[in-house]
């Protein structure tokens, strides 16, 4: 338990250039370091020392150079609003502009994040041990914005010799209740506290935190990599840029029961689709009961007229049989002003397609896989009978839904082959 800590900025660190020995400079500026201290270093000086600076050539546009640098440092665009990009870097960090920064650096240059901030922290730690004979922890930091909160704060990008997470799961609170989810991000708390004495415009890129020896370790440890949440555990891993491209046709499912609540949420998204004349021409049949499912699958086996080929039909029926949940989208012709007008029927069909696309994308957000299979299009009368549907409901295939049996990679296609301009 920490009863008190001391934090101070380290004075006397000069302007850093490529090749400078940061450990030597910190050791010279703060020779009184003790075992168990935490040395907190702004990533910008680490990047400068490691040569992670991009310079614009004479006559180059600096803004274009910065934009190109952000693109080069990006592995995934999570969201975009105007010129601002929230991206994921190769480190796994999700942040604005990939950490590319043009503040506190000479005109015509931008500073990139260190290639491996954990390795940088380990190197500084080893250098301080060699020069001063002390075992300290080192944290490399940068400034992040935060979802749902105004303002920025420093967080840890790299760490060595620090238990970056204090896992309380399995312990009990003061009232004896079990703690199930509490994990304290010690490295981020240290980074934020140290930033109070470093600052962005004071020329103090290094701070020392004393009083946290119980969180320091003799070994370097896993570093900040342990703080990057795996995407499969991240409820917000899909950014605005990812949502549509994450929808892929999935034909293999785990068979794990998924319940119908996530499907119902996806249908709620489906029925926001555009439709002609403010109509609502789509209906979704959630095939919940075992009897209804059996009747539908038996109908498809018996009455599905051959589409392109018998083999393709058989494979598609197998997909539907393996899926834990089936949904049959329909066009309701009674919702149209003039159900006998072919143009209105066509508009309703297009609207149903938009609604199904909404459904498929919303299912992907729920981390469910789906396959929209023509199926009931080829035997509408038999499907209506099997599912006891009104005569004016036209089934538009069947959507198979379940947990994907293997990871699904988003698809990004070059639009050029599909785009014409006039």
């Amino acid at each position: 338990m920490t009863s008190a800590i001391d934090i101070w900025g380290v004075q006397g660190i000069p302007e850093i250039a490529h090749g400078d020995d940061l450990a030597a400079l910190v050791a010279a500026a703060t020779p009184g370091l003790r075992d168990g201290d935490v040395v907190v270093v702004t990533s910008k000086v680490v990047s400068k020392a490691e040569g992670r600076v991009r310079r614009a050539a004479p006559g180059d546009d600096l803004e274009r150079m910065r934009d190109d640098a952000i693109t080069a440092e990006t592995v995934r665009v999570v969201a975009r609003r105007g010129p601002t990009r929230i991206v994921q870097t190769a480190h796994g960090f999700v942040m604005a502009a990939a950490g590319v920064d043009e503040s506190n650096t000479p005109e015509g240059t931008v500073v990139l994040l260190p290639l491996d901030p954990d390795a940088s922290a380990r190197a500084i730690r080893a250098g301080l041990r060699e020069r001063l004979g002390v075992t300290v922890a080192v944290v490399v930091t940068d400034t992040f914005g935060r979802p749902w909160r105004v303002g920025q704060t420093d967080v840890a990008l790299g760490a060595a010799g620090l238990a970056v997470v204090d896992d309380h799961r399995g312990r009990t609170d003061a009232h004896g209740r079990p703690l199930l989810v509490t994990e304290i991000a010690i490295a981020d708390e240290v980074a934020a506290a140290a930033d109070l004495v470093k600052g962005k415009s004071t020329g103090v890129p290094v701070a020392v935190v004393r009083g946290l020896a119980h969180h320091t370790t003799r070994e370097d440890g896993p570093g900040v990599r342990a703080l990057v949440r795996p995407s499969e555990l991240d409820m917000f891993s899909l950014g605005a840029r990812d949502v549509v491209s994450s929808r892929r046709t999935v034909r293999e499912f785990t068979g794990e029961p998924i319940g119908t609540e996530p499907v119902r949420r996806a249908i709620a998204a489906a029925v926001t689709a555009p439709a002609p004349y403010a109509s609502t021409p789509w209906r979704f049949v959630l095939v919940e009961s075992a009897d209804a499912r059996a009747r539908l699958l038996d109908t498809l086996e018996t009455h599905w007229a051959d589409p392109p080929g018998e083999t393709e039909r058989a494979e598609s029926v197998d997909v539907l049989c393996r899926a834990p949940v089936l949904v049959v989208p329909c066009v309701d012709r009674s919702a149209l002003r003039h159900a006998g007008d072919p143009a209105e029927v066509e508009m309703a069909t297009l609207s149903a397609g938009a609604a199904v696309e909404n459904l498929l994308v919303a299912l992907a957000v729920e981390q469910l896989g789906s396959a929209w299979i023509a199926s009931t299009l080829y035997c509408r009368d038999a499907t209506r009978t099997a599912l006891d549907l009104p005569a004016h409901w036209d089934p538009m295939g069947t959507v198979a839904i379940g947990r994907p049996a293997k990871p699904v990679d988003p698809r990004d296609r070059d639009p050029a082959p599909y785009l014409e301009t006039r």
Side-chain angles (χ1 to χ4, degrees), residues 286-349:
L286 178 55
V287 184
E288 285 191 295
S289 75
D291 285 347
R293 180 187 177 95
R295 291 196 305 271
L296 174 62
L297 293 174
D298 182 64
T299 295
L300 296 178
E301 287 276 13
T302 305
H303 298 284
W304 185 351
D306 292 348
E310 185 67 30
T311 301
E312 182 175 333
R313 170 193 169 190
E315 291 175 352
S316 295
V317 172
D318 286 344
V319 172
L320 297 176
C321 289
R322 291 192 297 264
V325 175
L326 301 176
V327 170
V328 177
C330 300
V331 169
D332 179 3
R333 284 179 277 109
S334 71
L336 305 179
R337 296 185 311 176
H338 306 291
D341 183 344
E344 286 210 13
V345 173
E346 185 173 4
M347 285 190 289
T349 302

